[in-house]
Amino acid sequence: NAGVTQTPKFQVLKTGQSMTLQCAQDMNHNSMYWYRQDPGMGLRLIYYSASEGTTDKGEVPNGYNVSRLNKREFSLRLESAAPSQTSVYFCASSAGLGETQYFGPGTRLLVL
Amino acid sequence: DQQVKQNSPSLSVQEGRISILNCDYTNSMFDYFLWYKKYPAEGPTFLISISSIKDKNEDGRFTVFLNKSAKHLSLHIVPSQPGDSAVYFCAASAVPGGGNKLTFGTGTQLKVEL
């Protein structure tokens, strides 16, 4: 039982490049989330998906897009990476919007 | 505007003693609070939660206290163990159970020394 998995674990990009962060959960959860963690800032919600087929903006959505591919998978895309997007990105899932969230191991992204 | 504040970035405690981690919040609409624990290179893991209808919740060595009038909560770990060394995040929500509006504090690094 893997829980929440994220790929890649680490990525270096040049400014302007694009990439997609992948997230999958095997807990049959309905809701999924993307957070970023920056030093001294805690975790901030980028986007979330309450259920398959729906996505909504969180606290810091600018510069990102998401796709809820199916119930298991929720991807985060950076169309044109900027140094300000250097961060650690965490995906999480929960049974529903009122339930405990379970986090993946994170993706460390460096934008030069 | 940091609505959930953890003013101590680090805390060092001896093994066997009590660890007390503090969290303050400013949004009076928050009514559900959670603590997460994070080891290096891992994602946060849920530890314990409390709703505003309670002032205390216990789970083994972990107890969370909530003082709504002071907008303050604390996590007590007794006795502290070396494996408790991690970053602890406080989180709050205005939706029961957390939901999509989970607001995190900046974290407190706990080090439990032998």
Side-chain angles (χ1 to χ4, degrees):
Chain A
N1 191 344
V4 179
T5 57
Q6 293 182 235
T7 55
K9 290 185 179 179
F10 180 73
Q11 183 73 44
V12 179
L13 290 179
K14 293 181 179 178
T15 297
Q17 287 185 317
S18 62
M19 80 160 294
T20 299
L21 282 65
Q22 306 286 355
C23 173
Q25 52 91 9
D26 63 2
M27 295 176 281
N28 200 35
H29 283 170
N30 290 308
S31 303
M32 298 185 73
Y33 315 81
W34 276 104
Y35 291 89
R36 59 178 288 174
Q37 184 193 7
D38 302 295
M41 297 291 289
L43 285 91
R44 292 182 292 170
L45 183 66
I46 304 171
Y47 270 95
Y48 68 99
S49 170
S51 61
E52 185 178 357
T54 69
T55 60
D56 285 286
K57 295 178 180 179
E59 181 185 355
V60 288
N62 291 344
Y64 306 95
N65 285 301
V66 291
S67 295
R68 184 74 183 266
L69 304 172
N70 47 56
K71 191 173 185 179
R72 290 187 63 249
E73 297 172 290
F74 188 38
S75 63
L76 178 72
R77 182 159 178 84
L78 287 71
E79 291 291 351
S80 179
S84 61
Q85 294 177 305
T86 293
S87 189
V88 182
Y89 291 86
F90 289 101
C91 177
S93 72
S94 64
L97 280 183
E99 308 295 328
T100 299
Q101 295 181 22
Y102 297 87
F103 285 79
T107 294
R108 188 174 297 273
L109 177 66
L110 175 62
V111 183
L112 301 174
Chain B
D1 178 30
Q2 194 72 25
Q3 296 188 64
V4 177
K5 301 177 184 179
Q6 294 177 257
N7 292 319
S8 298
S10 64
L11 175 68
S12 186
V13 172
Q14 279 194 318
E15 181 181 12
R17 306 293 290 267
I18 184 171
S19 295
I20 300 176
L21 294 93
N22 294 306
C23 179
D24 297 293
Y25 61 96
T26 58
N27 189 340
S28 59
M29 298 300 292
F30 286 150
D31 59 5
Y32 191 76
F33 305 89
L34 307 89
W35 284 94
Y36 279 83
K37 174 180 180 179
K38 185 183 179 304
Y39 292 119
E42 295 184 12
T45 55
F46 171 73
L47 195 55
I48 192 168
S49 63
I50 188 167
S51 71
S52 59
I53 61 173
K54 292 185 174 182
D55 56 15
K56 177 182 175 181
N57 189 27
E58 283 182 85
D59 185 1
R61 296 186 297 113
F62 303 91
T63 303
V64 56
F65 295 92
L66 175 63
N67 183 334
K68 282 200 71 179
S69 61
K71 294 189 177 68
H72 176 83
L73 65 156
S74 60
L75 175 68
H76 292 209
I77 306 173
V78 183
S80 300
Q81 298 174 355
D84 296 329
S85 297
V87 177
Y88 289 79
F89 289 98
C90 170
S93 175
V95 176
N100 59 304
K101 301 291 186 184
L102 211 55
T103 301
F104 283 85
T106 53
T108 297
Q109 172 77 58
L110 173 65
K111 183 177 181 182
V112 179
E113 299 174 319
L114 299 173

